Structures are given as structure tokens and as C-alpha cells.
């Protein structure tokens, strides 16, 4: 397991972000997805975010990214949605006729934390702290 670090902490913060086009309009093709990814990669470092994986369907994108303890994720998502919407409509003007009132992204999004261990495993680990292992007591 590779951990990230800064001056005062060690961490591993992975997030799975899903963003949908407003009213699930089917406008994302490979070219638009590629441009959306480029915009993400350009804005992300400002917020201490690193892209890990990107994929899309015709009406939404899936993004796996790493953050840091000081990452302001909601501010990043809002900045990304605003910039990418503006740039996509400018660079792909034909897309405007497929959007509702020219809105590209839905206001809502899904953000999930991810990691190597399940919540149940972490709970068991925490609950076992301070207890002597049977093997050690013999």
C-alpha cells in the first residue's frame, strides 16, 4: 500500500466521483470525455487532487482521484463543473442544442470514499485494540 504524505501527516484518501449531465442528456462521446478529463487534470493540482482513473458513459463520468487532508473537495467539484461546462459549450457549440437551458452538469453528484479495507474490517481492528491476542498470552 502506497501512502501519501505532507509535512505533518501520512494519508491515503481516494474518492470515487460520479457526475451526470443535466437530465441525463446523452452528449458525452470519446472526444468530449477526453476534453473533460484534460480540464480535470488542469484544475486538480490547485486543490491537491490527483486523477487516478477516468471513464464515461454517454450521460455521466466516473472519476477516481486522490486528495489530501486539506483538500476542499466541494469547492473543487464546483470549480471543475463551472469551468468544464463553460469550456465544453464554447469548444463544442453543437452540444448546446442537446442541453436543457444550456446547463451541462446536473447540480447533484455522487462522491464515495474508497480504500483497501472495508468499514467492517476497520471496525473490527478498532474494537480489537488493547485486547491481548490469545497467541501472545501463552
Amino acid at each position: 500500500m502506497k501512502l501519501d504524505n505532507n509535512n505533518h501527516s501520512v494519508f491515503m484518501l481516494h474518492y470515487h466521483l460520479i457526475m451526470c449531465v443535466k437530465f441525463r442528456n446523452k452528449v458525452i462521446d470519446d472526444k468530449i470525455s477526453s476534453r473533460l478529463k484534460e480540464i480535470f487534470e488542469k484544475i486538480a493540482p490547485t486543490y491537491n487532487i490527483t486523477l487516478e482513473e477516468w471513464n464515461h458513459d454517454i450521460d455521466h463520468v466516473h472519476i477516481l482521484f486522490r486528495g489530501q487532508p486539506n483538500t476542499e473537495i466541494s469547492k473543487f467539484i464546483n470549480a471543475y463543473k463551472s469551468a468544464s461546462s463553460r469550456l465544453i459549450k464554447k469548444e463544442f457549440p453543437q452540444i448546446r442544442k442537446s442541453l436543457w437551458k444550456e446547463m451541462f452538469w446536473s447540480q447533484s453528484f455522487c462522491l464515495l470514499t474508497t480504500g483497501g479495507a472495508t468499514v467492517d474490517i476497520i471496525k473490527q481492528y478498532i474494537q480489537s485494540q488493547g485486547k491481548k491476542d490469545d497467541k501472545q498470552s501463552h
Side-chain angles (χ1 to χ4, degrees):
M1 169 178 16
K2 183 188 174 296
L3 298 173
D4 295 318
N5 62 65
N6 60 25
N7 290 341
H8 304 286
S9 56
V10 176
F11 49 89
M12 181 177 59
L13 301 171
H14 285 91
Y15 300 91
H16 178 189
L17 174 63
I18 304 155
M19 295 186 305
C20 298
V21 176
K22 184 78 171 181
F23 294 124
R24 304 287 288 225
N25 287 321
K26 298 165 176 42
V27 297
I28 301 176
D29 58 18
D30 289 344
K31 193 171 183 179
I32 289 173
S33 176
S34 179
R35 183 62 179 124
L36 289 169
K37 181 180 174 184
E38 286 174 9
I39 298 165
F40 188 98
E41 291 174 316
K42 183 173 174 67
I43 295 171
T46 305
Y47 292 86
N48 295 318
I49 287 175
T50 306
L51 179 65
E52 292 282 310
E53 193 67 43
W54 179 283
N55 208 342
H56 74 279
D57 204 338
I58 55 177
D59 61 357
H60 66 280
V61 295
H62 285 268
I63 307 160
L64 178 65
F65 67 90
R66 285 193 337 262
Q68 294 187 10
N70 63 350
T71 298
E72 295 182 284
I73 297 173
S74 62
K75 283 187 178 180
F76 166 73
I77 293 170
N78 288 333
Y80 171 72
K81 286 167 81 173
S82 176
S84 61
S85 177
R86 183 176 35 79
L87 290 169
I88 289 296
K89 289 183 292 189
K90 179 182 175 189
E91 296 170 17
F92 301 89
Q94 71 279 10
I95 206 172
R96 290 175 182 267
K97 63 180 176 263
S98 300
L99 300 176
W100 183 80
K101 293 188 177 182
E102 293 200 9
M103 297 177 100
F104 188 82
W105 295 114
S106 169
Q107 219 176 357
S108 57
F109 57 88
C110 176
L111 181 67
L112 308 165
T113 56
T114 64
T118 65
V119 171
D120 288 337
I121 290 172
I122 294 169
K123 282 182 181 177
Q124 289 172 8
Y125 174 76
I126 292 171
Q127 291 166 359
S128 72
Q129 294 304 294
K131 295 180 182 175
K132 290 195 174 185
D133 188 3
D134 286 337
K135 293 177 186 172
Q136 291 178 341
S137 59
H138 288 116

